[in-house]
Amino acid sequence: MILNGQVALVTGGSRGIGRAIALALAQAGAYVVINYRGNRPAAELTLEELSDKGGRGELSQFDVSVEKEVDGAVKQIVDGQGKVDILVNNAGVTSDGLLIRMKSEDWDQVIGTNLKGTVLCTKTVCRVMIRQRYGRIINLSSVVGQMGNVGQSLYAASKAGILGFTKSIARELASRAVTVNAVTPGFIETEMTAKLTPQLQEEFLRSIPLGRFGNCEEVAQLVVFLTGPGAGYITGQVIGVNGGLYM
């Protein structure tokens, strides 16, 4: 229970990696606010599982790309819980396809959710953390933001932007005992990888030295460590969970 008494906000916490992070933080003792944008049934299932395992938390519906909604949601959390100790910027979308076929609305959606959403949530929450003189911010980027990938130029741009943002904000907030780090998952077993054809899965597996896809819990355990007392001297870092795909 290394996070006992702490309050965590996990954006996009209803499914996939976000869900695993929410559950892991709760098991470590944190009170977890699970953000979702539209899929309430999935969010409710995550909260139910969290509660069944002895964790505590609540749901918070807002769009991370809309500043007014972010500000209102964080205010409600602080009004109810008194603080925010941990922010995990996990909410993300992708719109895959070749650049020449890109539509402006694809750009707006991907950059708006992945990069702008990370910036807006960090901007609002870090005000609380500065007053507290304590905080842990974890930004979920991607191995694609480090190495690129055909057909994912928008996604790669948004995730690469998160890396630069992480390092800059880590410098800005260090004097207030707020650490900021980025986690870059590789190919993780989620709904997205499940949709890949067997041929594509085999092709990707051949490029991973460990010879397998990762699982959501492996990403979540790294996040728990980075939010705990053992990571107090780690900030501005990019840590990969990719099976050796990118070194």
Side-chain angles (χ1 to χ4, degrees):
M1 304 293 283
I2 61 172
L3 302 179
N4 192 38
Q6 297 197 33
V7 178
L9 169 60
V10 181
T11 68
S14 63
R15 294 184 297 174
I17 292 174
R19 172 183 171 277
I21 291 171
L23 294 174
L25 290 173
Q27 288 178 320
Y31 181 92
V32 182
V33 180
I34 301 167
N35 157 258
Y36 68 100
R37 182 174 63 178
N39 193 341
R40 186 172 182 86
E44 288 177 339
L45 283 174
T46 300
L47 181 61
E48 182 180 345
E49 182 174 354
L50 183 153
S51 300
D52 289 345
K53 292 181 177 180
R56 298 171 58 246
E58 63 183 77
L59 301 181
S60 181
Q61 181 179 19
F62 64 90
D63 187 333
V64 297
S65 68
V66 179
E67 188 167 13
K68 185 177 180 180
E69 292 189 22
V70 174
D71 289 347
V74 173
K75 182 180 184 303
Q76 187 172 14
I77 295 168
V78 174
D79 287 346
Q81 301 302 319
K83 60 178 182 172
V84 180
D85 301 291
I86 297 164
L87 169 64
V88 181
N89 285 306
N90 168 77
V93 297
T94 186
S95 182
D96 297 345
L98 298 177
L99 179 63
I100 58 173
R101 297 173 184 164
M102 183 195 78
K103 299 176 182 178
S104 59
E105 52 264 35
D106 297 332
W107 170 265
D108 292 340
Q109 181 186 35
V110 174
I111 298 298
T113 299
N114 299 2
L115 184 54
K116 181 183 177 183
T118 295
V119 171
L120 290 180
C121 290
T122 301
K123 177 185 175 184
T124 301
V125 171
C126 80
R127 292 186 182 124
V128 180
M129 293 179 172
I130 287 171
R131 290 197 299 269
Q132 297 170 175
R133 301 188 72 86
Y134 177 84
R136 297 283 187 266
I137 299 174
I138 312 298
N139 298 324
L140 270 292
S141 178
S142 169
V143 69
V144 175
Q146 296 173 297
M147 60 185 288
N149 197 28
V150 173
Q152 289 194 302
S153 59
L154 299 186
Y155 185 72
S158 70
K159 293 300 188 177
I162 287 173
L163 300 182
F165 176 73
T166 296
K167 295 177 182 183
S168 298
I169 300 306
R171 291 182 180 276
E172 290 187 18
L173 300 179
S175 65
R176 302 296 182 178
V178 177
T179 65
V180 188
N181 293 288
V183 172
T184 54
F187 287 101
I188 305 298
E189 293 176 342
T190 62
E191 294 178 5
M192 184 173 69
T193 53
K195 293 177 182 177
L196 297 173
T197 65
Q199 293 82 3
L200 272 177
Q201 290 192 29
E202 184 60 33
E203 181 180 335
F204 288 138
L205 284 171
R206 283 198 298 269
S207 66
I208 301 171
L210 284 183
R212 66 174 178 86
F213 293 144
N215 61 64
C216 296
E217 288 69 27
E218 289 172 312
V219 180
Q221 289 305 313
L222 173 59
V223 172
V224 171
F225 170 73
L226 290 173
T227 59
Y233 201 55
I234 300 174
T235 195
Q237 303 305 304
V238 177
I239 305 174
V241 187
N242 59 46
L245 176 63
Y246 178 85
M247 299 184 184

